[in-house]
Amino acid sequence: MKVRSIFFTFFILIITALPAFAQQDCAAIFKAELENISGVDAVVQNESGFLAILKEGNKKEAVSVVSKINKIRKNNAGGCDFSGVSVAIMDSNLDLIKNTSSASMSKSELTKLLYDYVYKLSPVQVDENLKGYEKLSELAPQNNYYKTRKQHYSKRVELVKTRSEYIARCLKEFPKDKSIIDLKIKRDFYLFVVAGDTPLKTAEIFMDTIAQQTPKPEKKMCVIVYSEDLSIRQASCPSEYQDILKTNEEELLMRHVQSLPGFKIEHNINGYKALKELAPHSTLYTKKLAAYESKQQGLERFMNLRIMSGEKLFSKSSNRGETLYATINSKALDGKSASANRKLFKLLTDYYAASGYAYKKCVLKNTAGETLGTISCANSRCTFKQ
């Protein structure tokens, strides 16, 4: 008897719950129908009804969307009756579009729906947030919370505008300044690579000069400065940025290091050393550092080759871009036949390839400055052309 009583009670609960489930299903169907309408950007739903926000503010598009919504309200999709559903429609400027769909919705109900929409916006959507709280303040002028949020986002919009203009000016002007080698920026983080012995001072002078043309944003900035070869680092960063300093510095420094040409071996080594300090467990930085150190060691071995007398094979060397210029000691060539020299050049070509060819080309010269031939490398192979 007790089991039958429990079963009967459970049955009543199921029957009672069915209308609620059906109602929820119908609301979900109606919301999905609204979201599928071309021109609708967002749909918000609560117990009062629905708010549809359009992608544009033009009247022709709005009239078309309203017509489509009214058609949905007249249909009985999935056995649901949508005729009594309240729908408020706003354009992209959050101006209410007058229509029969929103006639039964009160101002407070509309305000609540709009707040649900604005609340879900990301804080970085400053323009959309400002627009939302401006409209909410309009609908509920006595609400101090809406006023406060409106003031907050008004300041944020101004900050974003000032920051954007200042960053744009910095990026435009730095290539004209010979002391600034590179500049990478992310919001309030500035990473400079500069020439000279006073990296931080050089960066600060540049930023102050820019501020005379375009005002600095009110928010404090974190300035990180590296010397040209990335061997020296200086920084001026407010304490509130310390928790996110490494992550942002790594991102900006990586962007600079990735832009370096491969033949700048010392710069790349210093760059990946600095990156490895910021992210010690990175296998990418470990591999890149090892590869450039191997190239450097290979180049040193190549340049330190010696002849029978114990003197260096190369009396001097220099580089221009991706080309290495190496002058062969006259004692290695004097009195040698053309055939012997060809064997020497082939041996040097093979050794240069095995050393990792730090430069894609190596021009061999004699002490008189005449070109003896060029070693050209690609895809782990090198060839010699006289």
Side-chain angles (χ1 to χ4, degrees):
M1 184 69 182
K2 193 174 181 181
V3 173
R4 286 180 64 191
S5 175
I6 292 169
F7 177 76
F8 184 68
T9 305
F10 183 60
F11 179 74
I12 290 172
L13 284 170
I14 292 174
I15 297 300
T16 307
L18 280 174
F21 283 128
Q23 196 172 9
Q24 287 173 8
D25 287 345
C26 287
I29 290 169
F30 189 72
K31 187 180 180 186
E33 291 283 349
L34 290 178
E35 288 171 336
N36 283 334
I37 295 174
S38 174
V40 171
D41 186 48
V43 178
V44 185
Q45 170 203 355
N46 65 20
E47 66 280 357
S48 303
F50 295 83
L51 170 62
I53 296 171
L54 310 187
K55 291 178 181 176
E56 295 181 16
N58 88 54
K59 291 182 180 179
K60 189 177 179 182
E61 179 70 19
V63 169
S64 171
V65 172
V66 169
S67 174
K68 289 173 185 175
I69 291 174
N70 284 331
K71 280 182 183 178
I72 292 171
R73 294 174 78 246
K74 290 173 184 176
N75 291 336
N76 293 329
C80 301
D81 180 10
F82 299 139
S83 59
V85 177
S86 295
V87 186
I89 306 166
M90 286 181 158
D91 64 17
S92 59
N93 298 314
L94 301 184
D95 291 326
L96 187 65
I97 297 166
K98 300 293 181 184
N99 64 89
T100 54
S101 300
S102 58
S104 61
M105 193 176 289
S106 69
K107 194 176 186 181
S108 63
E109 288 171 334
L110 175 62
T111 304
K112 191 176 178 184
L113 276 166
L114 180 59
Y115 176 70
D116 288 347
Y117 164 73
V118 176
Y119 181 78
K120 289 174 184 174
L121 290 172
S122 166
V124 299
Q125 295 175 276
V126 288
D127 289 322
E128 291 84 351
N129 273 284
L130 177 59
K131 197 189 300 178
Y133 284 110
E134 281 177 341
K135 180 56 69 174
L136 286 166
S137 296
E138 208 177 285
L139 292 168
Q142 304 307 315
N143 190 306
N144 287 326
Y145 175 74
Y146 295 157
K147 279 184 188 175
T148 304
R149 298 310 288 165
K150 175 185 166 183
Q151 289 167 358
H152 169 76
Y153 278 105
S154 180
K155 288 179 181 176
R156 286 285 303 277
V157 165
E158 184 57 34
L159 170 64
V160 168
K161 180 175 178 288
T162 309
R163 178 197 281 144
S164 177
E165 289 173 352
Y166 184 77
I167 288 174
R169 176 68 69 174
C170 284
L171 292 175
K172 181 183 177 183
E173 297 299 325
F174 94 81
K176 302 174 187 176
D177 190 326
K178 291 179 181 178
S179 63
I180 309 296
I181 308 301
D182 196 10
L183 171 59
K184 305 295 182 191
I185 304 172
K186 182 185 177 184
R187 288 171 63 83
D188 304 306
F189 287 83
Y190 291 66
L191 187 140
F192 287 86
V193 179
V194 304
D197 301 324
T198 55
L200 185 58
K201 188 177 178 181
T202 301
E204 287 172 342
I205 290 171
F206 170 79
M207 294 179 82
D208 289 341
T209 303
I210 296 298
Q212 292 172 15
Q213 307 165 46
T214 305
K216 280 184 181 180
E218 285 187 16
K219 196 171 180 185
K220 293 176 182 176
M221 293 178 281
C222 179
V223 183
I224 307 151
V225 194
Y226 281 85
S227 59
E228 186 176 358
D229 66 355
L230 305 180
S231 62
I232 299 171
R233 176 195 180 273
Q234 294 178 345
S236 174
C237 200
S239 58
E240 57 262 38
Y241 290 132
Q242 291 306 311
D243 290 343
I244 55 172
L245 173 57
K246 276 191 175 182
T247 304
N248 285 283
E249 182 176 352
E250 180 191 353
E251 181 184 332
L252 295 173
L253 181 59
M254 183 57 174
R255 279 163 53 188
H256 170 71
V257 174
Q258 283 182 325
S259 71
L260 290 172
F263 63 82
K264 289 195 172 182
I265 298 171
E266 192 66 36
H267 294 63
N268 275 285
I269 287 173
N270 291 334
Y272 283 110
K273 275 182 180 176
L275 285 166
K276 198 163 163 45
E277 281 183 26
L278 294 168
H281 303 297
S282 169
T283 54
L284 172 65
Y285 302 154
T286 302
K287 286 177 182 177
K288 287 282 188 181
L289 178 59
Y292 279 105
E293 285 180 333
S294 176
K295 276 194 173 188
Q296 185 184 55
Q297 291 161 8
L299 179 62
E300 286 174 358
R301 285 195 301 270
F302 181 74
M303 296 311 300
N304 283 314
L305 287 172
R306 295 181 181 274
I307 57 177
M308 291 295 290
S309 65
E311 294 178 71
K312 282 189 174 184
L313 173 64
F314 299 108
S315 56
K316 63 178 181 178
S317 65
S318 63
N319 73 284
R320 286 201 297 273
E322 293 184 84
T323 304
L324 173 69
Y325 294 87
T327 301
I328 296 179
N329 190 324
S330 58
K331 291 181 182 179
L333 300 172
D334 289 347
K336 302 291 190 305
S337 66
S339 175
N341 284 337
R342 279 197 298 272
K343 285 181 181 178
L344 173 63
F345 300 148
K346 185 182 184 308
L347 188 65
L348 289 175
T349 301
D350 292 341
Y351 194 91
Y352 189 68
S355 72
Y357 57 93
Y359 298 88
K360 288 186 178 179
K361 287 186 178 182
C362 175
V363 178
L364 302 178
K365 290 181 171 288
N366 61 21
T367 51
E370 298 167 333
T371 298
L372 301 170
T374 302
I375 301 171
S376 300
C377 304
N379 304 319
S380 302
R381 292 184 62 224
C382 297
T383 57
F384 182 77
K385 188 175 180 181
Q386 226 166 348

